[in-house]
Amino acid sequence: MSSLNPATVGSRTVVAKVEDFPPGSMVVVPVGKFGVGVYNIDGKLSAIANYCPHRGGPMCVGQLTGETTAGEEPYSSNFSRENEFIKCPWHGWEFELESGQAAAANVKVRSYEVVVEDDYVILLGVA
């Protein structure tokens, strides 16, 4: 991946060429107060602040995970939506990448809209 040199104009930050974000990649873009992690999960781009609202942990260092729900049988569980959640490395809180919503609490990590224009990845709403 080429080194990132984001350019911000207003609330739009041009991050890099879309080819710099192959599926399965993540990069922390040095914008905003803590940086923003941009993820390509199976071709879908998502972006969240690199700051856990629980205790301020570096969210984007965390492990990608999925959603675990109760199974049909007693004491069983189902795992789905692989790599659509991130687990904070400090205390294990899990957040959905797309919305920033915590899996087990009524709290969110800030998420950002990501668009692709003229083969460039652009973050919207980063100040």
Side-chain angles (χ1 to χ4, degrees), residues 3 5 11 15 21 25 40 44 50 55 62 64 70 75 77-80 86 88 90 92 96 104 112 120 127:
S3 62
N5 189 11
S11 65
V15 177
F21 289 93
S25 66
N40 182 339
K44 180 169 177 46
N50 189 27
R55 294 282 186 177
L64 290 176
Y75 308 105
S77 61
N78 298 317
F79 186 76
S80 62
I86 186 153
C88 177
W90 283 6
E96 183 182 42
Y112 299 91
Y120 283 92

Side-chain angles (χ1 to χ4, degrees), residues 53-78:
H54 171 233
R55 294 282 186 177
M59 181 63 70
C60 299
V61 176
Q63 176 184 358
L64 290 176
T65 186
E67 181 176 52
T68 303
T69 55
E72 298 290 323
E73 301 296 320
Y75 308 105
S76 68
S77 61
N78 298 317

Side-chain angles (χ1 to χ4, degrees), residues 5-15 31 117 122-127:
N5 189 11
T8 301
V9 177
S11 65
R12 297 169 54 89
T13 301
V14 178
V15 177
V31 295
E117 293 177 2
I122 300 170
L123 290 175
L124 302 179
V126 179

Side-chain angles (χ1 to χ4, degrees), residues 7-124:
T8 301
V9 177
S11 65
R12 297 169 54 89
T13 301
V14 178
V15 177
K17 300 276 276 172
V18 77
E19 65 196 31
D20 291 329
F21 289 93
S25 66
M26 185 284 292
V27 67
V28 176
V29 181
V31 295
K33 189 171 182 179
F34 301 100
V36 174
V38 179
Y39 295 80
N40 182 339
I41 306 301
D42 297 325
K44 180 169 177 46
L45 295 169
S46 300
I48 60 167
N50 189 27
Y51 182 84
C52 180
H54 171 233
R55 294 282 186 177
M59 181 63 70
C60 299
V61 176
Q63 176 184 358
L64 290 176
T65 186
E67 181 176 52
T68 303
T69 55
E72 298 290 323
E73 301 296 320
Y75 308 105
S76 68
S77 61
N78 298 317
F79 186 76
S80 62
R81 300 180 63 195
E82 187 172 359
N83 295 328
E84 292 183 27
F85 290 78
I86 186 153
K87 183 183 290 191
C88 177
W90 283 6
H91 300 107
W93 283 35
E94 296 179 5
F95 296 85
E96 183 182 42
L97 282 175
E98 187 174 345
S99 69
Q101 179 62 50
N106 191 19
V107 65
K108 285 185 170 186
V109 63
R110 179 132 187 224
S111 60
Y112 299 91
E113 185 176 354
V114 183
V115 296
V116 175
E117 293 177 2
D118 298 324
D119 291 327
Y120 283 92
V121 175
I122 300 170
L123 290 175
L124 302 179

